[in-house]
Amino acid sequence: MAVRAQPSARARPAGGILLSGGAGTASPDSAGSIVKDLISMTLHVPPTITADFRDFWQERHLCLLVTHRPDGTPHQVPVGATYDDVSGIARVISHGASKKVRNVLAAAPGARVALSQVAGRRWSTLEGIATVNRDPQAVAEAVRRYTERYREPRVNPERVVIEIAVTRRMGTV
């Protein structure tokens, strides 16, 4: 069961991140600020990243993103994703009206998500807090990273980036 912090509540979900509410709700455009705040509160990400882990998240693999619908049921979709191990941010580019984006926005100011990839016996899952960022520079940076890992995506004027502040990593790499 997902635990969401209410605007004036404090909760410690199973993932271990302490969420403290602020005044009001955040707009989708303030996602970068929220992500930075959430990263600063991360408690359970191991301090070191292995070369195998870094390589695995740079190789071309299809990923699966799990968000939660407003009724709490999981919504899992295949995506292309990138992970920046310096900032601890995973990124997924998407159309702004997609179900995954709507799910993240419905859980504002941040949604608990899981992003996984598998290749044979190797697998990795990143869990964290997702926000939607519509800032053109953030979207351009996400597209640049996506292009490095996969290929240049088609033109999409409605593109946004789902930014995931990673709070937990697990897997065989």
Side-chain angles (χ1 to χ4, degrees):
M1 177 170 93
V3 176
R4 281 192 213 138
Q6 298 301 317
S8 62
R10 293 171 64 99
R12 186 178 301 273
I17 187 167
L18 179 65
L19 300 178
S20 60
T25 58
S27 70
D29 295 328
S30 65
S33 158
I34 293 169
V35 169
K36 287 177 188 169
D37 290 345
L38 290 170
I39 289 172
S40 70
M41 294 184 281
T42 300
L43 301 175
H44 285 287
V45 175
T48 58
I49 292 178
T50 66
D52 287 342
F53 176 87
R54 183 176 289 116
D55 291 346
F56 191 56
W57 279 97
Q58 290 174 346
E59 298 165 2
R60 187 181 195 282
H61 298 292
L62 185 63
C63 300
L64 293 169
L65 175 67
V66 177
T67 61
H68 292 90
R69 297 178 186 97
D71 69 2
T73 59
H75 176 256
Q76 181 174 355
V77 292
V79 296
T82 62
Y83 179 62
D84 177 4
D85 59 23
V86 174
S87 68
I89 300 290
R91 294 172 176 86
V92 174
I93 57 175
S94 180
H95 189 283
S98 71
K99 181 62 177 169
K100 60 186 160 284
V101 168
R102 293 193 321 266
N103 287 343
V104 171
L105 290 173
R112 298 215 34 99
V113 300
L115 179 67
S116 301
Q117 63 181 18
V118 63
R121 293 182 176 186
R122 299 182 308 153
W123 66 273
S124 178
T125 296
L126 306 175
E127 293 179 356
I129 306 296
T131 54
V132 176
N133 194 337
R134 297 175 189 281
D135 176 70
Q137 290 180 329
V139 173
E141 176 62 14
V143 168
R144 182 190 69 75
R145 291 170 181 272
Y146 179 95
T147 300
E148 284 181 6
R149 187 173 189 198
Y150 298 100
R151 61 176 171 73
E152 187 172 344
R154 72 185 193 292
V155 174
N156 180 352
E158 301 299 318
R159 181 173 287 130
V160 299
V161 57
I162 297 172
E163 295 177 332
I164 303 164
V166 175
T167 58
R168 180 179 289 169
R169 299 187 304 260
M170 62 189 103
T172 59
V173 294

